[in-house]
Amino acid sequence: MTLQLYKEPLSVLGGRRRDLLFGAVALVTIASAAVAASLVVLHRSPPLPPAEAPARDSFREITWDDLSPKEWDPTKNLRREDGSLISDSDPRAQAMFEDLRAIWDNAPTAEALDGALVKLPGYVVPLDESDGKLMEFLLVPYFGACIHTPPPPANQIVHVLANPAVQGFHAMDTVWVSGRMRTLRQDSPMGSSGYRLEAAVVEPYRKASEVTTSP
């Protein structure tokens, strides 16, 4: 099975995304199907109090690699088995799937990012939308995550609270999100997130080569 999870223009994802991509493919292979979760919101997060947005130059641009502690290896306990030799009906396959899912859902976060003003690119997974306004969504590092494929590790899912709500964005749109990062875990119908981003700015993603300046 070949999955095309990565999609330009998110060239800033970083080298470690390859390992997590292999993990996502392993999950799909073991589970024999992609996750098709409901978009119904089971719990709405309390709205953020009104606050003056920081200046745009206050946000530090980060990559998804920065969200995962360098010493964390989600596959180290799975390397004793050759998953390619195990059929989907083998109980060991289901055990491997459950073990990896537990490891990913409890993935450690980078505590140094708690409270930091950051700017991060990613793909939109809507959670709470009303009258065309998006109030909550997950930000994920590769195309299809949480919708067409199982959720990535919790430290690769950011729960975004848009304040104010934003319009014009849909599932799997690529965006830049700027705001204050929190190391706060939360479950949703689409996946467990290890971070919350209190968004001050949500804007379409553009590569540096696509950004033009006025003369």
Side-chain angles (χ1 to χ4, degrees), residues 138-191:
L138 300 182
L139 192 69
V140 295
Y142 54 82
F143 186 84
C146 301
I147 295 180
H148 302 299
T149 69
N155 60 20
Q156 298 294 286
I157 302 179
V158 178
H159 179 208
V160 178
L161 301 182
N163 185 32
V166 295
Q167 291 180 291
F169 297 105
H170 308 284
M172 291 296 115
D173 280 351
T174 51
V175 295
W176 282 105
V177 181
S178 302
R180 189 174 299 278
M181 185 73 83
R182 302 292 186 186
T183 52
L184 182 65
R185 294 182 181 273
Q186 181 164 322
D187 293 330
S188 80
M190 306 305 288

Side-chain angles (χ1 to χ4, degrees), residues 82-100:
D82 185 352
S84 64
L85 302 178
I86 301 176
S87 68
D88 294 342
S89 60
D90 193 315
R92 290 177 297 170
Q94 182 61 31
M96 290 175 63
F97 174 83
E98 293 174 354
D99 289 346
L100 184 57

